[in-house]
Amino acid sequence: KAGVTQTPRYLIKTRGQQVTLSCSPISGHRSVSWYQQTPGQGLQFLFEYFSETQRNKGNFPGRFSGRQFSNSRSEMNVSTLELGDSALYLCASSRDRVTDTQYFGPGTRLTVL
Amino acid sequence: TQLLEQSPQFLSIQEGENLTVYCNSSSVFSSLQWYRQEPGEGPVLLVTVVTGGEVKKLKRLTFQFGDARKDSSLHITAAQPGDTGLYLCAGDGGSEKLVFGKGTKLTVNP
């Protein structure tokens, strides 16, 4: 069974630009969650999608958004990038609920210059 | 806001030593999960504990959930270099979100 895949693995952007990250969950998993990981704040929950609907959201500004497609693949978008957005962005999929076993992808390393 | 505090933040030990890392909160969690994350990879689930006082063993790793379900510990016996990684605890606070601690970065030197 293929794991969670994320593309791209590495990304370098400049302040003010926008970025789109992609996540393909494990086949059959309907819940996709996104997290931001930084050395200072650790792993912070961004949002969760289930059946194409945002089911839950963390405490991040509206510049961070996402969506889920009918095949459960998900994208997240960050607009008007700031230096502080530099982080590892992790996607995790689970069968139905966030609290089910989550399988994480390898992440996308975003650097904002 | 539910918070999980992990200690120590960093731990560097020699192969063969024992160690314990802690995950504490003032909030009650219905379950706690432990993950290990290696450089360049996402976290991988090690165990989920759901009952207060529960102890689970996974080879040389022993996980304990506190009686009040506010804290947990991970004990590693005879650590090996392959145990090196970032150990994260995550709690289910009942709001359909997982709250993560900041992690303990473990280095086991040969």
Side-chain angles (χ1 to χ4, degrees), chain A residues 29-85:
Chain A
H29 286 190
R30 296 187 293 171
S31 170
V32 175
S33 299
W34 287 90
Y35 296 86
Q36 181 195 67
Q37 187 175 31
T38 59
Q41 298 300 318
L43 244 159
Q44 293 185 287
F45 173 75
L46 280 156
F47 28 66
E48 183 225 357
Y49 285 86
F50 180 86
S51 293
E52 302 179 65
T53 301
Q54 187 182 88
R55 188 160 65 173
N56 223 328
K57 189 177 187 308
N59 297 322
F60 278 81
R63 300 186 297 108
F64 292 82
S65 62
R67 58 178 175 167
Q68 187 181 33
F69 302 95
S70 58
N71 62 358
S72 292
R73 192 177 70 84
S74 178
E75 289 181 347
M76 70 163 279
N77 184 275
V78 188
S79 63
T80 320
L81 284 166
E82 301 177 0
L83 295 179
D85 296 333

Side-chain angles (χ1 to χ4, degrees), chain B residues 5-31:
Chain B
E5 301 282 345
Q6 289 191 246
S7 61
Q9 195 175 350
F10 300 95
L11 190 55
S12 180
I13 61 171
Q14 294 300 121
E15 183 176 0
E17 293 183 358
N18 302 332
L19 67 114
T20 302
V21 298
Y22 300 93
C23 174
N24 295 302
S25 177
S26 57
S27 304
V28 174
F29 289 91
S30 55
S31 67

Side-chain angles (χ1 to χ4, degrees), chain A residues 9 35 37 39-43 45 48 55-59 88 90 97-107, chain B residues 1 9 30-31 33 35 37 40-45 48 86 88 91-103:
Chain A
R9 290 293 308 273
Y35 296 86
Q37 187 175 31
Q41 298 300 318
L43 244 159
F45 173 75
E48 183 225 357
R55 188 160 65 173
N56 223 328
K57 189 177 187 308
N59 297 322
L88 181 67
L90 292 161
R97 299 177 63 213
V98 166
T99 49
D100 292 337
T101 298
Q102 289 204 61
Y103 296 86
F104 283 84
Chain B
T1 304
Q9 195 175 350
S30 55
S31 67
Q33 302 176 353
Y35 292 81
Q37 184 178 18
E41 301 294 331
V44 174
L45 180 67
T48 301
L86 179 67
L88 296 159
D92 169 16
S95 58
E96 287 299 318
K97 294 180 190 177
L98 278 183
V99 175
F100 280 83
K102 292 186 181 180

